[in-house]
Amino acid sequence: MNLQTTSEAAPMAAAPEESPEDLVARLARDGRAAQRVLARLSDTEKADALRAAASALRGAAPAILEANARDVVAGEEKGLTGAMLDRLRLDSARLVGIADAVEQVANLPDPVGQVIEATERPNGLKLSRVRIPIGLIGIIYESRPNVTADAAALCLRSGNAVLLRGGSEALHSNRAIRAAFATGLESVGIPASAIQLVPTQDRAVVGAMLTAAGLIDMIVPRGGKSLVARVQADARVPVLAHLDGICHTYIHSAADPEMAKQVALNAKMRRTGICGAMETLLLDTQFPASRDVVTALIESGCELRGDARARSLDSRILPAGEEDWDTEYLDAVLSVAVVDGLDAAMDHIAAHSSHHTDAIVTADDAAAERFLNEVDSAIVMVNASSQFADGGEFGLGAEIGIATGRLHARGPVALEGLTTYKWQVRGSGQTRP
Amino acid sequence: MNLQTTSEAAPMAAAPEESPEDLVARLARDGRAAQRVLARLSDTEKADALRAAASALRGAAPAILEANARDVVAGEEKGLTGAMLDRLRLDSARLVGIADAVEQVANLPDPVGQVIEATERPNGLKLSRVRIPIGLIGIIYESRPNVTADAAALCLRSGNAVLLRGGSEALHSNRAIRAAFATGLESVGIPASAIQLVPTQDRAVVGAMLTAAGLIDMIVPRGGKSLVARVQADARVPVLAHLDGICHTYIHSAADPEMAKQVALNAKMRRTGICGAMETLLLDTQFPASRDVVTALIESGCELRGDARARSLDSRILPAGEEDWDTEYLDAVLSVAVVDGLDAAMDHIAAHSSHHTDAIVTADDAAAERFLNEVDSAIVMVNASSQFADGGEFGLGAEIGIATGRLHARGPVALEGLTTYKWQVRGSGQTRP
C-alpha cells in the first residue's frame, strides 16, 4: 500500500486564493457527497471499512511515527510543556492502541436503521421512526493525534462523514493518521473524502466551520476549556460539548460512613484531571462521620477549601472564597460545604453545578429518588463515584464526548448520539380526507 | 373567578427603564423557577392543571371575546387583510375549540419519566435514561391567538414552562387567553409564571429572546416564512422549525395509475396552503399514465409549470423557470418535471427538497424501499398523500410544529420532542478502578 500519496492528494490542497469560507464549503460538499455513500452502507460494510482502516493504520506505523517525530521536535523547539509533549507523542504501543480502538468501534452495534418506534394508523398507514446518520460532523481538537482516528471511527461507524481540524502541533501526525485511515476506506471502495482534514492551520477556517450552517451538521470540540468556550460562543452550527465538569457529591445524613469515605476519595482522587472528577463535596450537617471523610481526603494529598462549618471539622481546611463553588480545579483541590439537609444540598447544586454529573451517597431510598428526579444534570448518581461518568463505563463502547446541553444527546455521547431519525410512512394509496 | 387581575399583575409589567435583555432575563428567571415546580408534578397533576386551564378559558369567554373584539377593531382600522382578520377573529365556537384542544392535550400520555432504556453493568451499576422536560420554551408567533393556549398546553403537559411572544395584532386576545390559562393553573397551585406573555410589543425583545442562551432552552417560531427565517438567522438558542415545505411526489414507472392520480390530486389540492402540500410533481418517463395525472390536476383548478417534457403532455402547462423547482407556492400552483427513473428522481429531490416530506407512488417494493432509505427528508412516504405530514395524522395527538433540522426532533414534533433525558445511575458504593 502506498499510504502517503492517494489520500493526501487533490481534495486536501487549498487553492492559494481560496477564502476560509470557500475552503470549508468545498470540503463540506465533498464530505457530504461521500456521506451519501456511507448512508447506504450496511452494518457489515461499515465494520469491514473500519477494520481496513485499523489495518492500514498498523501498516503505516513507520510513516506515522516518523511524522509524529517531526511534530515532537517542532514542539520541543517551540517550547511546549512536558504535558503537551506527552499528549502529542506517539510510540509503537500507543499506535497499536489507536488501531485497536478503531477495531473496537467496528465491533460496536450499528445504530443506523434501528426502528425507534413503529405504529399503524386506523387508516392503514404504517409509520416507523428509523435512525439515520446526522450527516457531516466537524471535529475541532487540540494536540492529541489519537482523536483523528477515534473521532473518525465513531463518525464512520454511524454513517457520518467527518471534517477534522486538529491542532497545529500535531499537523504531521494528523495528516499521516488521516492518510492511512482514508487508504483503508478506499481499499473497500469508500471515498477518501469521507474523512477529511482541514489542509491549513489558518485559524479563520475554524470560524468558517463554526458558521457553516447547512454544510456542517454538528460540531464536536475536543480539548481544553478555552477551545470549548470559543466554539460555543461563535458556533451557528449545533455543538455537542461540555464546558465544565463541576461535579458534586452530597453525603446525606443516612449515608454509610465507610461507603461515603470510599466514594468521595475515588470521586476526587482516582484521576483529578477528568471532567467527571468531584470538585465540590457537600456534607450533611446530620452526617455523623464527616470528619473521617475530610481527614481521609486530606491524608490522600488533597487540598480542601471549606466554608466555616467545614473548616471546624479539620484545621487543615483552608477558607473557601465565593469563586471556589464555581471552580473546576481539575487538580487535587476540593471545595467542601456543610449543608442543612437534602433540599439545601440540591439548592447548592442548582446554583453551582455545570449539569455534568452530580451524586448523592445515602442509604435512604426516598432521599435517593428525590435526588435522582430533582437534580437537573445530564448524569445523576446514587452511591457511586462520579468518575464513572464515561461512555466506556456506561457500556457505550466509546464516546465522542460528554454533553451538558439540553437538546439531542446528553451525558456520554456515543454512536446513538451521532444519529438522528426520519419518519418512514408506508401506505396503499391513502389520501387525507 | 377573577380572571383579569391576579395573573396579569406584577410579573408581567415591564419596569420603564428595563432593557429588552433585562426583561427577558427576568421573565426567564421567573419561568425557570416555575418550571422546577412543573418538573416535579405527576402525570395526573399536569392533566388536572390543563383541565383547570380549559375550564378557566370557558369561564373567561366573555372577557376573551371582548378583548378579541378590540383587536379586530384595531386590525380593521390598521387595514389588515381579510385573511389576517380571519386568523385573528374569535367567536364562541372557536373559543370552545381552543378550550377543547387544551383538554385533549390533558388526555395525551405524559412523556416525562418514561425510561428510554435501562441496563445493568457488570459492576452492578444500574443505568436508566429517563425523559425529563427541556425547561423553558420560547414561542414566537403571529396573529393566531389560539397558539397562546395550544402551545402553552403542549409545553405544560411535558413539564416545560413557556414564554410567549405573540403578534401585536392579537395583543389583547393573547393577554386575556393567557390570563385565563394562568388562573386555571393557579387554581391547582401552579405558579402563574409557568405561562408568561412578553408584556411589550418592542421588537427588540424578540432579539433578546433569540440570544438568551442558557435562559431559554428552545425557541419555536409559529408563523410565516419571514418570521421563521428571521428566527433561524438570529437565534443562538436552539430553534425547532421548518422554513419551507417544498414537498415532492414522484410517480414511479410501476405506480398504479388510479392511485397515482388520486394521491397527486390530494397531495396538491386538498389544502394548498399547508406545509405538507405537494409543490413539485416528478413523473417517471416510463410511467404510462402521466397525461391522466396532469389533466386531472389542471381540471381540478391547478396551474401547472413544467419542463419541456412535461409540457409535451398537455399544452396548458406553462413553462417552468429554474426558480420554480425551489418555490413553495402554498397555492394551486405546481411545478412538474419528467425524470428518467428512480435515481434521477432522487437526485432532483436531493437538489431541491426542503427535507420536509417527500413521497413516491409505486407498486415496486424494491423501489419503495430505496426511496424510503435514500431520500434524506424528515418524512418519506410510499403510496400516500404528503398532506398526511401532521402530528394529529401521525397519532401524536397534537404538534408544536414540524421540524426539518437534523438534531433532536424531526418531522411532526409533539410532547416527546418537548422532552430531553437524563442518565440516572443507581449504585451500592461502587468506585472506579
Side-chain angles (χ1 to χ4, degrees):
Chain A
M1 275 188 290
N2 185 345
L3 297 177
Q4 291 300 86
T5 54
T6 57
S7 310
E8 280 224 28
M12 305 300 289
E17 73 294 351
E18 200 172 29
S19 73
E21 289 71 24
D22 288 346
L23 169 63
V24 167
R26 179 167 60 84
L27 295 170
R29 268 196 309 275
D30 291 347
R32 299 183 83 80
Q35 197 274 322
R36 286 186 70 185
V37 177
L38 297 178
R40 288 197 289 269
L41 297 181
S42 69
D43 177 2
T44 309
E45 287 168 326
K46 283 178 283 192
D48 288 347
L50 289 186
R51 291 191 187 102
S55 168
L57 285 166
R58 291 191 190 100
I64 294 170
L65 293 177
E66 189 269 332
N68 181 251
R70 288 169 63 192
D71 286 332
V72 171
V73 168
E76 286 167 346
E77 284 169 2
K78 269 172 58 183
L80 295 188
T81 65
M84 290 173 80
L85 287 170
D86 182 59
R87 283 198 288 270
L88 176 57
R89 188 176 282 115
L90 297 178
D91 55 24
S92 295
R94 283 187 175 183
L95 201 50
V96 166
I98 289 173
D100 287 353
V102 171
E103 214 146 60
Q104 282 158 22
V105 173
N107 294 334
L108 294 175
D110 184 0
V112 172
Q114 282 176 3
V115 177
I116 301 169
E117 64 173 319
T119 55
E120 183 165 345
R121 301 292 304 151
N123 61 8
L125 285 181
K126 296 182 176 68
L127 273 61
S128 325
R129 271 202 300 150
V130 180
R131 280 199 200 290
I132 61 170
I134 287 176
L136 177 62
I137 312 291
I139 313 279
I140 298 174
Y141 55 113
E142 294 180 328
S143 54
R144 291 181 192 272
N146 63 301
V147 173
T148 308
D150 290 353
L154 285 165
C155 289
L156 293 168
R157 189 69 182 101
S158 46
N160 297 286
V162 64
L163 179 56
L164 302 157
R165 202 285 189 181
S168 55
E169 318 85 81
L171 182 61
H172 299 100
S173 311
N174 289 338
R175 284 184 176 165
I177 291 171
R178 182 264 161 195
F181 202 115
T183 303
L185 298 185
E186 286 183 311
S187 73
V188 294
I190 295 173
S193 47
I195 163 176
Q196 294 181 100
L197 182 67
V198 172
T200 159
Q201 291 306 116
D202 180 358
R203 287 175 67 92
V205 175
V206 174
M209 288 176 70
L210 296 178
T211 53
L215 293 170
I216 298 175
D217 295 301
M218 186 167 80
I219 298 270
V220 183
R222 296 288 300 262
K225 187 167 168 172
S226 64
L227 171 72
V228 176
R230 190 237 162 140
V231 167
Q232 290 187 330
D234 293 350
R236 307 307 309 260
V237 174
V239 174
L240 190 90
H242 68 277
L243 186 63
D244 276 322
I246 302 180
C247 302
H248 296 74
T249 301
Y250 164 51
I251 312 296
H252 181 250
S253 56
D256 174 85
E258 180 62 19
M259 185 192 294
K261 185 167 78 181
Q262 296 306 329
V263 165
L265 275 172
N266 187 267
K268 179 72 241 182
M269 296 303 287
R270 173 185 163 270
R271 284 181 61 191
T272 58
I274 67 173
C275 58
M278 169 174 67
E279 303 292 5
T280 299
L281 175 68
L282 300 174
L283 294 164
D284 197 289
T285 187
Q286 301 295 318
F287 175 62
S290 286
R291 186 164 283 121
D292 293 346
V293 174
V294 160
T295 302
L297 282 160
I298 293 172
E299 291 177 356
S300 75
C302 188
E303 174 185 318
L304 266 55
R305 303 182 188 173
D307 63 6
R309 289 194 288 179
R311 294 184 69 206
S312 73
L313 295 168
D314 192 303
S315 61
R316 292 169 292 180
I317 301 180
L318 304 172
E322 267 313 302
E323 71 285 1
D324 279 296
W325 313 116
D326 299 304
T327 299
E328 184 185 27
Y329 302 111
L330 295 173
D331 202 350
V333 181
L334 178 71
S335 55
V336 188
V338 173
V339 294
D340 296 307
L342 176 61
D343 284 292
M346 294 197 295
D347 284 346
H348 182 105
I349 292 171
H352 300 288
S353 171
S354 63
H355 307 294
H356 184 296
T357 301
D358 294 297
I360 183 175
V361 181
T362 185
D364 177 338
D365 285 346
E369 292 305 310
R370 276 200 64 202
F371 189 92
L372 288 173
N373 288 322
E374 296 180 30
V375 172
D376 186 27
S377 297
I379 306 170
V380 282
M381 293 183 168
V382 173
N383 296 336
S385 165
S386 59
Q387 299 235 354
F388 281 112
D390 171 87
E393 292 296 325
F394 276 35
L396 307 179
E399 69 184 28
I400 194 85
I402 291 186
T404 53
R406 298 194 70 77
L407 297 191
H408 190 68
R410 309 185 78 206
V413 180
L415 294 176
E416 187 185 302
L418 291 169
T419 65
T420 180
Y421 62 80
K422 68 164 98 168
W423 293 86
Q424 295 181 336
V425 182
R426 292 172 173 84
S428 50
Q430 283 87 345
T431 56
R432 189 170 170 188
Chain B
M1 277 187 288
N2 184 347
L3 297 177
Q4 291 300 88
T5 54
T6 57
S7 310
E8 281 223 28
M12 307 298 290
E17 74 295 350
E18 200 172 29
S19 73
E21 289 72 24
D22 288 347
L23 170 64
V24 168
R26 179 168 60 84
L27 295 170
R29 267 196 310 275
D30 291 347
R32 300 183 82 81
Q35 198 274 323
R36 287 185 69 184
V37 176
L38 296 178
R40 287 196 289 268
L41 297 181
S42 70
D43 178 4
T44 309
E45 288 168 325
K46 283 179 283 192
D48 287 348
L50 289 185
R51 291 190 188 104
S55 167
L57 285 165
R58 290 190 190 102
I64 295 170
L65 292 176
E66 189 268 333
N68 182 251
R70 288 168 64 192
D71 285 332
V72 170
V73 168
E76 286 166 345
E77 284 168 3
K78 269 172 58 183
L80 294 189
T81 66
M84 289 174 80
L85 287 170
D86 182 59
R87 283 199 287 271
L88 176 58
R89 189 175 282 115
L90 296 177
D91 56 24
S92 295
R94 284 188 174 182
L95 202 50
V96 166
I98 288 173
D100 287 353
V102 171
E103 213 146 61
Q104 281 158 22
V105 172
N107 295 334
L108 293 176
D110 183 0
V112 172
Q114 282 175 2
V115 177
I116 301 169
E117 64 174 320
T119 55
E120 183 165 345
R121 301 292 303 151
N123 61 8
L125 284 181
K126 295 182 177 70
L127 271 62
S128 324
R129 272 202 298 149
V130 180
R131 281 199 198 290
I132 61 170
I134 288 176
L136 176 63
I137 312 291
I139 313 279
I140 299 175
Y141 56 113
E142 294 181 326
S143 54
R144 291 182 191 273
N146 63 300
V147 173
T148 308
D150 290 353
L154 284 165
C155 289
L156 292 168
R157 189 69 181 100
S158 45
N160 297 286
V162 64
L163 178 56
L164 301 157
R165 202 285 187 182
S168 54
E169 318 85 80
L171 182 63
H172 298 101
S173 312
N174 290 337
R175 282 184 177 165
I177 292 172
R178 180 265 161 193
F181 202 116
T183 304
L185 298 185
E186 287 183 311
S187 74
V188 295
I190 295 173
S193 47
I195 164 177
Q196 295 181 100
L197 182 67
V198 171
T200 158
Q201 290 307 115
D202 180 358
R203 288 175 67 90
V205 175
V206 174
M209 287 176 70
L210 296 179
T211 54
L215 292 170
I216 298 175
D217 295 301
M218 186 166 80
I219 296 270
V220 183
R222 295 288 301 262
K225 187 167 167 171
S226 64
L227 172 72
V228 175
R230 190 237 161 140
V231 167
Q232 289 188 330
D234 294 349
R236 306 306 310 260
V237 174
V239 174
L240 191 91
H242 69 279
L243 185 64
D244 277 322
I246 302 180
C247 302
H248 296 75
T249 302
Y250 164 51
I251 313 295
H252 181 250
S253 56
D256 174 84
E258 181 62 20
M259 186 192 292
K261 186 167 78 180
Q262 296 305 330
V263 166
L265 275 172
N266 187 266
K268 180 72 241 183
M269 297 302 288
R270 173 185 164 272
R271 283 180 62 191
T272 57
I274 66 173
C275 58
M278 169 173 66
E279 302 292 5
T280 299
L281 175 67
L282 300 174
L283 294 164
D284 196 290
T285 186
Q286 301 293 318
F287 175 62
S290 286
R291 186 163 282 121
D292 293 346
V293 174
V294 160
T295 302
L297 281 160
I298 293 171
E299 291 177 356
S300 76
C302 189
E303 173 185 318
L304 267 55
R305 304 182 188 173
D307 64 6
R309 289 195 287 180
R311 294 185 68 206
S312 72
L313 295 167
D314 192 304
S315 61
R316 291 169 292 181
I317 302 180
L318 304 173
E322 267 312 301
E323 71 285 0
D324 279 296
W325 312 115
D326 299 305
T327 298
E328 184 184 28
Y329 302 111
L330 295 175
D331 202 351
V333 181
L334 178 71
S335 55
V336 188
V338 173
V339 294
D340 296 307
L342 176 61
D343 284 291
M346 294 197 296
D347 285 345
H348 181 105
I349 292 170
H352 301 288
S353 170
S354 63
H355 308 294
H356 185 295
T357 301
D358 295 296
I360 184 175
V361 180
T362 185
D364 177 339
D365 285 347
E369 292 304 311
R370 275 201 63 203
F371 189 93
L372 288 174
N373 289 321
E374 296 180 29
V375 172
D376 186 26
S377 297
I379 306 170
V380 284
M381 294 184 168
V382 173
N383 296 335
S385 165
S386 59
Q387 300 234 353
F388 282 112
D390 172 88
E393 292 295 326
F394 276 33
L396 306 180
E399 68 184 28
I400 193 86
I402 291 187
T404 53
R406 298 194 68 80
L407 297 192
H408 189 68
R410 308 185 80 206
V413 180
L415 294 177
E416 186 185 304
L418 293 170
T419 65
T420 182
Y421 62 81
K422 67 164 99 169
W423 294 87
Q424 294 182 336
V425 181
R426 292 172 173 84
S428 50
Q430 285 85 346
T431 55
R432 188 169 170 189

